Amino acid sequence: MDEGVIVDLVTDFLAWAWPRHLNPVSWYIRPLFFLPIACFCWTRRPLWLAATIVAMVSSFFWFPAPTEIDPRIAGVLEMEKELFTDPTWITWVTLPLIPALIAGLCAAFWHRSLGWGLVVIDGGLALKIAWTIANSGTDGLATVVPLGLGAVAMTAVIVVIAHRRGLRLALRS
């Protein structure tokens, strides 16, 4: 296949997918993928884990483009778009933090450390909120509710499961 055709396909796909990323539902759904990731690491099911990670990565375009766009969400996504289309040293330094967060989450639950899992989940989401605010100003506040609710929901589920199963929330396995 010609290189120009591939570039055109990717460009067309991104033009179709990007407006869907403006849908706030995807912002609320994405953090919740940490729960099945934690579950599949805990039960050591790598194929289900891989499928969940693919689902999480693709979830930004599952939902239709919104009819009304929250200007703060648009501002955050414009900042992210600029980071990817005109990368600076900030992009190259911070981009590896996303897979590092997923790897840390997987390691914590694979080694069955609920405490470290909660540290990674809550710390990672707090850092994502702080990073977004630092890079997009007050528009970044749009991430507080979806990521904050995601952190609270995941923490609550993990604490309830730990309590019901008699599991420790210690920082060791």
Side-chain angles (χ1 to χ4, degrees):
M1 189 178 288
D2 181 24
E3 189 175 311
V5 172
I6 293 172
V7 170
D8 288 345
L9 286 172
V10 169
T11 303
D12 291 347
F13 173 76
L14 291 175
W16 171 82
W18 195 260
R20 288 158 168 64
H21 193 30
L22 290 164
N23 190 320
V25 175
S26 73
W27 287 40
Y28 285 89
I29 295 296
R30 202 164 304 103
L32 298 179
F33 278 100
F34 285 4
L35 284 174
I37 288 171
C39 176
F40 295 135
C41 286
W42 188 273
T43 58
R44 297 191 172 122
R45 295 183 180 163
L47 291 176
W48 285 103
L49 171 63
T52 302
I53 291 172
V54 168
M56 180 177 68
V57 170
S58 69
S59 69
F60 78 95
F61 61 81
W62 290 359
F63 304 98
T67 53
E68 291 183 34
I69 298 171
D70 180 334
R72 294 179 314 158
I73 290 175
V76 169
L77 292 180
E78 188 57 36
M79 175 271 302
E80 288 181 354
K81 191 178 203 178
E82 287 175 22
L83 286 177
F84 288 111
T85 56
D86 188 20
T88 64
W89 67 272
I90 293 171
T91 306
W92 300 113
V93 169
T94 59
L95 196 56
L97 295 177
I98 297 166
L101 171 64
I102 302 299
L105 177 70
C106 290
F109 285 98
W110 195 274
H111 293 288
R112 300 201 166 123
S113 175
L114 294 177
W116 278 113
L118 289 174
V119 167
V120 171
I121 288 169
D122 295 333
L125 292 176
L127 285 172
K128 169 63 173 161
I129 290 168
W131 179 88
T132 305
I133 292 170
N135 286 287
S136 63
T138 58
D139 287 342
L141 294 172
T143 62
V144 171
V145 173
L147 296 180
L149 285 176
V152 168
M154 290 180 290
T155 299
V157 168
I158 290 168
V159 168
V160 166
I161 289 171
H163 178 72
R164 287 190 178 167
R165 294 190 176 204
L167 301 171
R168 296 182 333 207
L169 291 172
L171 293 179
R172 58 182 190 272
S173 51

